[in-house]
Amino acid sequence: MKRLYYPLILLLAAHTLMAQEVSQEAMQKIRKEGLENSKVADIAFRLTDASGPRLTNSPGYQRAAEWSVDQLKKWGLQNARLEEWGEFGKGWQVEKSYIAMTKPYYMPFIAIPKAWTGGTSGPITGEVVVVDINQEEDLKKYEGKLRDKIILIKGEANTAPTFKADAVRYTSEDLDKMADSEAFGSRNFTPEMLERYRAMRTFRNRVDSFLLAQKVKMEIVARQGKHGTFFTSNGASFRGDAPEPGPSFEMAPEHAYLMARLAENGIPVTVEADIKTTFYNKLTSSNVIAEIPGTDPKLKDEVVMLGAHLDSWHGATGATDNAAGSTVMMEVIRILQTTGLKPKRTIRIALWSGEEQGLYGSRNYVKNTFGDPQTMKLKPAHEKLSAYYNIDNGTGRIRGVYLQGNEAVRPIFEKWLAPFADIIDHPTVTLRNTGGTDHVSFDALGLPGFQFIQDGIEYGSRTHHTNVDTYERLVMDDLKQMATIVAAFVYNTAQMDQKLPRKPLPKAPDSVGR
Amino acid sequence: MKRLYYPLILLLAAHTLMAQEVSQEAMQKIRKEGLENSKVADIAFRLTDASGPRLTNSPGYQRAAEWSVDQLKKWGLQNARLEEWGEFGKGWQVEKSYIAMTKPYYMPFIAIPKAWTGGTSGPITGEVVVVDINQEEDLKKYEGKLRDKIILIKGEANTAPTFKADAVRYTSEDLDKMADSEAFGSRNFTPEMLERYRAMRTFRNRVDSFLLAQKVKMEIVARQGKHGTFFTSNGASFRGDAPEPGPSFEMAPEHAYLMARLAENGIPVTVEADIKTTFYNKLTSSNVIAEIPGTDPKLKDEVVMLGAHLDSWHGATGATDNAAGSTVMMEVIRILQTTGLKPKRTIRIALWSGEEQGLYGSRNYVKNTFGDPQTMKLKPAHEKLSAYYNIDNGTGRIRGVYLQGNEAVRPIFEKWLAPFADIIDHPTVTLRNTGGTDHVSFDALGLPGFQFIQDGIEYGSRTHHTNVDTYERLVMDDLKQMATIVAAFVYNTAQMDQKLPRKPLPKAPDSVGR
């Protein structure tokens, strides 16, 4: 139905573009290199195990970013560099993390300090007080009563047995539904959801300030998860001028609830703990940028971009979120370099920082390079970008692509997927959006930014922002497949006679309603 | 088919027994108390959270056993006591457990000391050496080279994504298959399996002695599991005369493999660790025993037993293995006492110790009370036991019962299950055995010992001998159902005109082949 109403001009443009054949020889080279000589396991090892957690502006992020620049240089890329994009806030890392119950008996606990919180200044011990704060009025009853206490905030984790598999792949029916849907914004928030989210954030900040003012000795918060897995939170403020919060553990719900049940049954609970964290005051942050220069005199000033965020949360080594995407994009570059294919347009890789806190790296890169989405004042480079491809949905193989509402690219992407039908089960192109990550920064300025449909695997159940998002969570065969297909998309985009068709430019938010 | 060949005398006996109706009034009382006034959540809290890990002869076991005796007394049971059954070996518990990687970056690890191993005498630090020992010859290459090293033994954990649900219930098809099968010994080991297991144990003991002789500083062993869950091992020797092994951590595979990959890629890994464990030299061990005296002058000397093992492994609070079974059996007693039903025969509950190391508590109880299965010399009490009912397959609700090869009880059990058809989906009676736990100790002496068919839930995937077998893993509705049905079975057994039919007495192993 949507097609009927789509501007005729774009349909005609799409039809013209459809006529352009892709080089099957190039596709064969990419396929061979990507599937038979893959280096995804090595790249992923460097970005996860060897770098560690990659919280933005932490030493771990820096290690990963520097290794990436170095590796890109070794592969012969041009202009490989760390590019500062502006001020992010403080770096932070954990240097000691220990908590165990010592009474009524000894038990070590699974927990990690909340991001951007402080330390205990050496080992501490104390009785645990369960605190039940769910609304503003609850604060009053604790006013003046929590000084020097170790408090436990329960939250509401669902620890019931899971009768559904942790790991899932899309069925053909799932994909057909996704393709048929009239809904564009499947992963976007409704105004009501945003309102609830903002209210929750405001209340959480209120609670944080309250507890800071109460001078509690340490805070323990039960998080969602089960079986030793838990999901870390968005942490405390990383702003340069934010006060340093007291020590705070995020904990597997089983261990937090054990303490809560004991205390609520009148059995005193004592813990011992030791947290050391370090803050870093270099507030500016950098993305990794590098290029394969274009070779066609008329087209080499035009650019095809590919990227993924390199930063992670701090509870593990951020394997599926998002070493997976960064690994794939690095491997795409390696495939393109190794096959010796000479792209007509310039190909530029970007590995972003600050994605987890609000797409900072990509948003600022777009603003610095292409224009300001707030005013829609565009820079000359805006005209030169054909497309940006992003990966940030975990380790699952590609099953198709989201058009992000850009119907005109449908026939092009369908053609590009076709040679890989043997390694894509039920290839699917959907008009839908996918949101929440860095292609949105491009889309907001009317630049074609795309993500792929990926099998979920364990992303929602076990890996996304958890303490167990480690190298083990990566499915190497899926990463190989992804790199092969993305390499084809990037190369084909670089070789087209024209840039990819664009959606109409969005209106500047600043101009709306004036 | 089996029925055709079954001794006619037993079939006739069964037929006679079939005629005996159960008291529907009693069944109603049991159902009401078990389903509407359940105390399983409270009992389970006491046995898990409040007691802690219940390794045999540890303070945690003692807490749980003493609470149970006390509670049974409060419910008015007779002869409630801790009954020593002989020498088990040393008690042991963890009093400090900390390990983290400190180079190339800091990361706290999920790990627990191996049972019955020693401490570090305060914090230690050192580089990790990956050791690859899979066969006798491998030992030579490390001879003299591991002194004062922290060694890492990799093992082979499967950390791939799980496309099957962690939690499962039997389908009707599963149960029909189980009921139809001709195989008696579904869960018993073949001689080849036993041989392989013994060879593996022998080699492990060999490796343990080797490492002890090499004077390694600490050992780290990767265990099976994933996502923060790991399965602990059977531990070191608990014998009174066993030498105290050096410190040894069992670790989530993700963390062990992170270190292994780093080291194998030439990146030095340093850890810091602190283990304190305490051994207890009171070597004898006790079961919990208590009775509801029979009220029929002619039958009160006869006994119906119910039991479960109270001991657990040390990595968590042993909720599904086997606080679940102990909770259900305690609740059965509470139901029978609260309803005021006066059993004709004496009902005796037993909560066993030492099950995890080889059914020690129940085997010795049987030997001390009923006779020696090695010689088949029987004591007078052997004639007086009608049946023993056991629960030790996790938190899953009852779907039927294993006849343990005793066809003659089929019509009786079928009749007893019938009034509960509304709370048992597809009730099933199978001739099969289930093994590996305490009813086997009775069966070995020709005493009718039974277990129930229980839904698996997460027993195999997440809970059995893991670090996350906590209170959260219990499905309270299932425990309620189990207690209700077991209470009915126990009561009905106590009320029968005759004892339950028995299988022919086994031959004494000592007499075979002489």
Side-chain angles (χ1 to χ4, degrees), chain A residues 470-489:
Chain A
T470 64
Y471 184 89
E472 280 69 23
R473 305 288 93 81
L474 298 175
V475 179
M476 293 304 166
D477 273 349
D478 284 21
L479 297 186
K480 282 183 203 176
Q481 184 253 25
M482 288 158 75
T484 304
I485 293 162
V486 176
F489 268 61

Side-chain angles (χ1 to χ4, degrees), chain A residues 49 52 63 95-97 105-106 159 161-163 165-167 227 229 254 257-258 261 272 458 471-473, chain B residues 49 52 95-97 105-106 159 161-163 165-167 227 229 254 257-258 261 458 462 471-473:
Chain A
D49 294 336
R63 271 191 295 274
E95 291 176 4
K96 179 100 186 187
S97 172
Y105 49 87
Y106 184 87
T159 56
T162 39
F163 290 92
D166 283 340
H227 307 131
T229 302
E254 289 90 343
Y257 290 177
L258 165 64
R261 283 187 300 268
E272 60 183 18
E458 305 169 324
Y471 184 89
E472 280 69 23
R473 305 288 93 81
Chain B
D49 294 336
E95 290 176 4
K96 178 99 186 189
S97 173
Y105 51 87
Y106 185 87
T159 56
T162 39
F163 290 92
D166 282 339
H227 307 131
T229 302
E254 291 89 341
Y257 290 177
L258 165 63
R261 284 188 300 268
E458 305 169 324
R462 294 286 175 189
Y471 184 88
E472 280 69 24
R473 305 287 94 83

Side-chain angles (χ1 to χ4, degrees), chain A residues 112-394:
Chain A
I112 292 171
K114 181 171 163 180
W116 289 289
T117 57
T120 53
S121 308
I124 61 168
T125 183
E127 192 175 327
V128 172
V129 178
V130 180
V131 165
D132 206 10
I133 297 179
N134 299 305
Q135 49 193 342
E136 181 67 29
E137 298 84 76
D138 296 334
L139 298 179
K140 283 194 203 93
K141 63 182 173 193
Y142 295 111
E143 181 83 47
K145 291 178 185 161
L146 302 178
R147 193 181 178 102
D148 272 335
K149 303 286 187 200
I150 295 174
I151 65 165
L152 171 63
I153 298 173
K154 282 203 302 186
E156 286 180 0
N158 171 12
T159 56
T162 39
F163 290 92
K164 276 178 16 183
D166 283 340
V168 287
R169 292 191 184 279
Y170 286 120
T171 62
S172 301
E173 292 69 36
D174 294 336
L175 291 167
D176 286 343
K177 214 165 153 187
M178 204 180 281
D180 271 353
S181 168
E182 302 251 321
F184 269 53
S186 63
R187 291 185 59 180
N188 284 341
F189 297 112
T190 64
E192 292 73 24
M193 285 162 72
L194 280 172
E195 186 51 45
R196 274 202 306 277
Y197 177 75
R198 285 195 195 106
M200 188 195 71
R201 287 292 309 168
T202 305
F203 181 63
R204 276 201 193 153
N205 290 341
R206 172 85 181 92
V207 174
D208 286 350
S209 314
F210 173 80
L211 295 175
L212 195 58
Q214 298 300 307
K215 299 190 190 299
V216 302
K217 188 190 274 186
M218 188 173 77
E219 180 187 271
I220 302 167
V221 184
R223 296 294 304 168
Q224 281 285 352
K226 61 182 76 168
H227 307 131
T229 302
F230 72 95
F231 293 78
T232 57
S233 76
N234 290 331
S237 176
F238 49 87
R239 301 290 174 207
D241 58 358
E244 182 177 320
S248 178
F249 264 119
E250 300 188 324
M251 187 173 278
E254 289 90 343
H255 291 155
Y257 290 177
L258 165 64
M259 291 193 281
R261 283 187 300 268
L262 287 168
E264 287 164 355
N265 278 280
I267 300 173
V269 174
T270 302
V271 295
E272 60 183 18
D274 194 353
I275 301 179
K276 183 170 188 287
T277 63
T278 300
F279 288 84
Y280 299 88
N281 286 316
K282 179 180 178 299
L283 302 181
T284 54
S285 186
S286 303
N287 300 315
V288 172
I289 306 284
E291 291 178 343
I292 302 175
T295 53
D296 182 302
K298 280 184 292 186
L299 295 176
K300 68 182 183 182
D301 290 343
E302 291 186 0
V303 177
V304 184
M305 286 192 70
L306 66 161
H309 75 87
L310 184 59
D311 67 305
S312 76
W313 283 103
H314 62 300
T317 54
T320 69
D321 189 14
N322 185 25
S326 297
T327 295
V328 165
M329 293 321 199
M330 291 283 284
E331 171 73 353
V332 166
I333 290 296
R334 191 197 66 77
I335 292 169
L336 295 175
Q337 282 292 82
T338 306
T339 48
L341 296 166
K342 297 290 172 205
K344 293 181 179 174
R345 287 182 181 77
T346 292
I347 292 171
R348 185 184 302 154
I349 185 174
L351 303 178
W352 314 111
S353 71
E355 191 274 348
E356 294 294 2
Q357 291 73 38
L359 323 184
Y360 286 101
S362 60
R363 284 203 287 132
N364 281 281
Y365 176 83
V366 165
K367 192 173 168 186
N368 296 340
T369 311
F370 300 115
D372 186 346
Q374 202 60 27
T375 58
M376 287 306 289
K377 282 192 186 149
L378 306 180
K379 301 195 176 192
H382 190 275
E383 262 312 296
K384 299 291 185 186
L385 184 73
S386 179
Y388 169 72
Y389 298 100
N390 194 73
I391 295 273
D392 185 22
N393 285 316

Side-chain angles (χ1 to χ4, degrees), chain B residues 206-226:
Chain B
R206 172 85 181 95
V207 174
D208 286 351
S209 315
F210 174 79
L211 295 175
L212 195 58
Q214 298 300 309
K215 298 190 190 301
V216 303
K217 187 189 273 186
M218 187 173 79
E219 179 186 273
I220 302 167
V221 184
R223 295 294 305 167
Q224 282 284 352
K226 59 182 80 168

Side-chain angles (χ1 to χ4, degrees), chain B residues 155-453:
Chain B
E156 285 181 2
N158 171 11
T159 56
T162 39
F163 290 92
K164 277 179 13 183
D166 282 339
V168 287
R169 291 191 185 278
Y170 286 120
T171 62
S172 300
E173 292 68 37
D174 293 335
L175 291 166
D176 286 344
K177 213 167 153 186
M178 204 180 280
D180 272 354
S181 168
E182 302 251 321
F184 270 55
S186 63
R187 290 185 58 181
N188 284 343
F189 297 111
T190 64
E192 293 73 23
M193 285 163 73
L194 280 173
E195 188 50 46
R196 273 202 304 278
Y197 177 76
R198 285 193 195 107
M200 189 195 71
R201 288 291 309 167
T202 305
F203 181 62
R204 277 200 194 154
N205 291 341
R206 172 85 181 95
V207 174
D208 286 351
S209 315
F210 174 79
L211 295 175
L212 195 58
Q214 298 300 309
K215 298 190 190 301
V216 303
K217 187 189 273 186
M218 187 173 79
E219 179 186 273
I220 302 167
V221 184
R223 295 294 305 167
Q224 282 284 352
K226 59 182 80 168
H227 307 131
T229 302
F230 72 95
F231 293 78
T232 57
S233 76
N234 289 332
S237 176
F238 50 87
R239 301 290 173 206
D241 57 359
E244 183 178 319
S248 179
F249 264 119
E250 300 187 325
M251 186 172 281
E254 291 89 341
H255 291 156
Y257 290 177
L258 165 63
M259 291 192 282
R261 284 188 300 268
L262 287 168
E264 286 164 355
N265 278 279
I267 300 172
V269 174
T270 302
V271 295
E272 59 183 18
D274 194 354
I275 300 178
K276 183 171 187 288
T277 62
T278 301
F279 289 83
Y280 299 88
N281 287 316
K282 180 180 177 300
L283 302 181
T284 54
S285 185
S286 304
N287 300 316
V288 173
I289 306 284
E291 290 178 344
I292 303 175
T295 55
D296 183 301
K298 281 185 291 187
L299 296 177
K300 68 181 181 181
D301 289 344
E302 292 187 1
V303 177
V304 183
M305 286 192 69
L306 66 160
H309 74 88
L310 184 59
D311 67 306
S312 76
W313 283 104
H314 62 300
T317 54
T320 69
D321 189 16
N322 185 22
S326 297
T327 295
V328 165
M329 294 319 199
M330 290 284 285
E331 171 72 354
V332 166
I333 291 295
R334 192 197 65 79
I335 292 169
L336 295 175
Q337 283 291 82
T338 307
T339 48
L341 295 167
K342 298 289 172 205
K344 294 179 177 174
R345 289 183 180 78
T346 293
I347 292 171
R348 184 185 301 154
I349 184 173
L351 303 179
W352 314 112
S353 71
E355 191 274 347
E356 293 294 2
Q357 291 75 37
L359 323 184
Y360 285 101
S362 60
R363 283 203 287 135
N364 282 282
Y365 177 85
V366 166
K367 191 173 169 186
N368 296 340
T369 312
F370 301 114
D372 185 345
Q374 202 60 27
T375 59
M376 287 308 288
K377 282 191 184 150
L378 306 179
K379 302 196 175 192
H382 189 275
E383 262 312 295
K384 299 290 185 186
L385 184 74
S386 179
Y388 169 72
Y389 297 101
N390 193 71
I391 294 274
D392 185 22
N393 284 316
T395 192
R397 70 203 289 112
I398 287 175
R399 304 295 297 276
V401 62
Y402 296 95
L403 295 178
Q404 210 75 17
N406 187 345
E407 180 68 32
V409 293
R410 183 189 294 273
I412 304 168
F413 283 178
E414 280 174 351
K415 188 182 278 287
W416 292 354
L417 287 171
F420 301 97
D422 61 322
I423 57 169
I424 310 176
D425 183 18
H426 206 73
T428 299
V429 177
T430 173
L431 194 56
R432 286 197 196 191
N433 294 343
T434 173
T437 182
D438 297 298
H439 67 296
V440 168
S441 303
F442 291 79
D443 193 60
L445 201 69
L447 292 166
F450 301 100
Q451 279 218 125
F452 296 85
I453 301 171

